[in-house]
Amino acid sequence: SGELCCSLPNPKNVHFESINMKNVLHWSAPEGTGDGVLYKVKYLVYGAGKWIRKPECRNISRTWCDLSSETSDYEEQYYASVKAFLNGMCSDWMETTRFNPLTDTKIDPPTVSVSSTEKSISIILTAPEKWKRSPEGESVSLLQVYPGLQYNVSVLNKKTKKRWFFSISNNTLVVPWLEPGTAYCVSAQIHITTPLLHSGFSKEYCIATLNDKTA
Amino acid sequence: LTAGNKIFHFGPCRVSISMTEIRSGFTAIKDNIQARDPIRTLSILSYPHSLHKVKSSDRCCVTHHLFNFYMDKVFKHCKTEDSYINRKISSIANSFLSVKRKLEQCHEQNKCMCGQESTEKFKQILVNYEGLNVTSAAIKSLGELDILLDWM
Amino acid sequence: DALLPAPQNITILSTNMKHFLTWSPVIIQGETVRYSVEFQGEYEREYANESWIPICECSLITATVCNITEDISATVAYNLRVRANVGARRSEWGALKGFFNRITTSLTPPLMKVIADGYHLLVELEDMGPAFQFCVLYWKKGQESRMQQKVVKEVSSVVHLDTMEAGPDYCVKAQTYVEAINRSSSFSQTQCVRAQGGTSMWLV
């Protein structure tokens, strides 16, 4: 269709929000336009020949567009762009900065499962999975994407209020020689050295060691 | 292996390289430098094929060539009006120099052999580079440093 | 106008990867003397026509010290120089004698506190910045031949080393390691503790 006159203010703050490589384009509505603004989106693989329109994000009124599928190859880098329309007017195309899924994604904390015996707790950590197209799709752990992935584990003794830190490369940790009948709270964080990335700490998972049967 | 310090295995060539400072230096200037490169549809390092297509046996030679490429043809043409950016480029360039020295040792010990494919790949990179004027090509190459770092 | 004398006694103080350039003040009666600092890395000498790069945090300063840590960010030989300024008058550059390479920084042993918490051996280490890791050695007193080692990359308060048997003393010492220059400090003082039921026991 022929281009309309582009005197509409531009969409603002066009950027990717990425968590575990689920890459969603976000933007803010143009200033002073109120309701009724529609948008269309295009994206480009950096260095590849052309911009590609995203049909599912054509004439949309929301201010986000999921481009995870189009940007799933994390060996590539990408740009995306948004244009606004209202009452026969339109804005300029507004672009993101260059998006590198490998370094620009945020990492969720690992999931933590804890079990206990009388004098020990066992911790199993699971790194989050990379975004996938469908639940049936092949699961790829972020461990495969970032081979140098490690875990920082915090163990809090609820009685003494003392907190210990462990740094482990594999995903299991057994803390022996604990006090029976005592509550311990565990949280964990993912730490990647190349590129330098880390998740926040997970919420705390608390468990009590069993009571001492001989006592 | 320790944080940031990686032992790079390029076949027989084993090089201990501290990448942390190069990466943090680049992260500090990435948006600024990439914003100076208006050409979205061309890549110096990735066209027509990504570095990830390079056979592992050729990785050492390509890496060695690329470090020389950045030293000889890129950093010196990236002077900006911003002294902070210039200082970060100096930091990256000096770090590159110490890595280049280590790669050179491998090269001199014939542990960094160049096959047909790596020679072709590097020729293509030079063609891509020479397809633009020097400053644009240098700024684009500097903006693609994370492509090299991610690939390494 | 008499030529402004160049700054003298230009030296580097470098400890634990923090590098400072210092010089003697230039005294001009009734005037405020300001100084500007520039650096030149090996790259600038060999590839960029021996160009010099100004350090803007140390441009026209009155202090006679400049923190150059941020700019000495590669393990190569650097040149450094300082110039005095009074109004529009400038001195010649005063240069550091010889190069400075951060590989020569002096590394001090880390501050360390060893804790026995029940049967658990823990260590608290001083955060010395992202360039530093720690090599922690621990052993049962009298069994120095069976020393164990843990590399601590990130200092996050109390780090768990191992579990202890009740009874024997356990001793710990630590050194820093800086991967960028591939050097370590000397070891800290050895500290020994002993597991004691649920309470902490200190034995130094």
Side-chain angles (χ1 to χ4, degrees), chain B residues 4-5 16 22 45 52-53 56 72 80 84 89 108-109 111 113 131-132 137 149:
Chain B
N5 197 28
S16 159
I22 294 178
L45 299 185
H52 294 276
K53 301 284 190 287
S56 60
D72 298 332
T80 73
Y84 173 78
I89 293 172
E108 281 145 18
Q109 297 155 17
K111 293 180 183 168
M113 302 311 291
L132 300 172
L149 301 178

Side-chain angles (χ1 to χ4, degrees), chain B residues 29-88:
Chain B
I29 63 172
K30 164 180 143 124
D31 285 348
N32 181 296
I33 293 295
Q34 291 179 348
R36 294 168 192 260
D37 171 15
I39 308 168
R40 308 288 190 246
T41 54
L42 249 180
S43 165
I44 304 273
L45 299 185
S46 301
Y47 179 82
H49 303 303
S50 152
L51 284 173
H52 294 276
K53 301 284 190 287
V54 170
K55 281 190 309 198
S56 60
S57 57
D58 281 350
R59 280 181 71 230
C60 185
C61 174
V62 171
T63 305
H64 183 232
H65 272 314
L66 282 176
F67 269 75
N68 288 339
F69 166 73
Y70 272 88
M71 297 305 294
D72 298 332
K73 289 182 175 295
V74 176
F75 295 126
K76 62 179 70 172
H77 298 301
C78 289
K79 201 162 179 77
T80 73
E81 72 300 334
D82 183 326
S83 83
Y84 173 78
I85 299 291
N86 294 341
R87 286 162 71 183
K88 286 297 175 187

Side-chain angles (χ1 to χ4, degrees), chain B:
Chain B
L1 292 184
T2 52
N5 197 28
K6 267 181 106 166
I7 305 287
F8 284 84
H9 296 259
F10 300 113
C13 170
R14 284 163 48 85
V15 182
S16 159
I17 302 175
S18 175
M19 298 298 280
T20 313
E21 285 161 326
I22 294 178
R23 261 202 191 273
S24 59
F26 178 74
T27 303
I29 63 172
K30 164 180 143 124
D31 285 348
N32 181 296
I33 293 295
Q34 291 179 348
R36 294 168 192 260
D37 171 15
I39 308 168
R40 308 288 190 246
T41 54
L42 249 180
S43 165
I44 304 273
L45 299 185
S46 301
Y47 179 82
H49 303 303
S50 152
L51 284 173
H52 294 276
K53 301 284 190 287
V54 170
K55 281 190 309 198
S56 60
S57 57
D58 281 350
R59 280 181 71 230
C60 185
C61 174
V62 171
T63 305
H64 183 232
H65 272 314
L66 282 176
F67 269 75
N68 288 339
F69 166 73
Y70 272 88
M71 297 305 294
D72 298 332
K73 289 182 175 295
V74 176
F75 295 126
K76 62 179 70 172
H77 298 301
C78 289
K79 201 162 179 77
T80 73
E81 72 300 334
D82 183 326
S83 83
Y84 173 78
I85 299 291
N86 294 341
R87 286 162 71 183
K88 286 297 175 187
I89 293 172
S90 164
S91 159
I92 295 169
N94 278 290
S95 294
F96 255 60
L97 182 53
S98 54
V99 171
K100 172 180 136 70
R101 292 250 162 78
K102 295 180 179 178
L103 286 169
E104 236 140 50
Q105 288 162 20
C106 274
H107 200 259
E108 281 145 18
Q109 297 155 17
N110 293 317
K111 293 180 183 168
C112 198
M113 302 311 291
C114 289
Q116 169 73 17
E117 192 175 309
S118 51
T119 308
E120 285 307 317
K121 176 62 186 174
F122 188 62
K123 258 192 216 150
Q124 179 64 58
I125 287 170
L126 289 182
V127 165
N128 297 342
Y129 177 88
E130 272 129 28
L132 300 172
N133 74 66
V134 171
T135 305
S136 306
I139 286 288
K140 180 175 267 299
S141 303
L142 180 57
E144 294 185 5
L145 200 61
D146 54 351
I147 293 176
L148 170 59
L149 301 178
D150 292 348
W151 170 68
M152 285 180 70

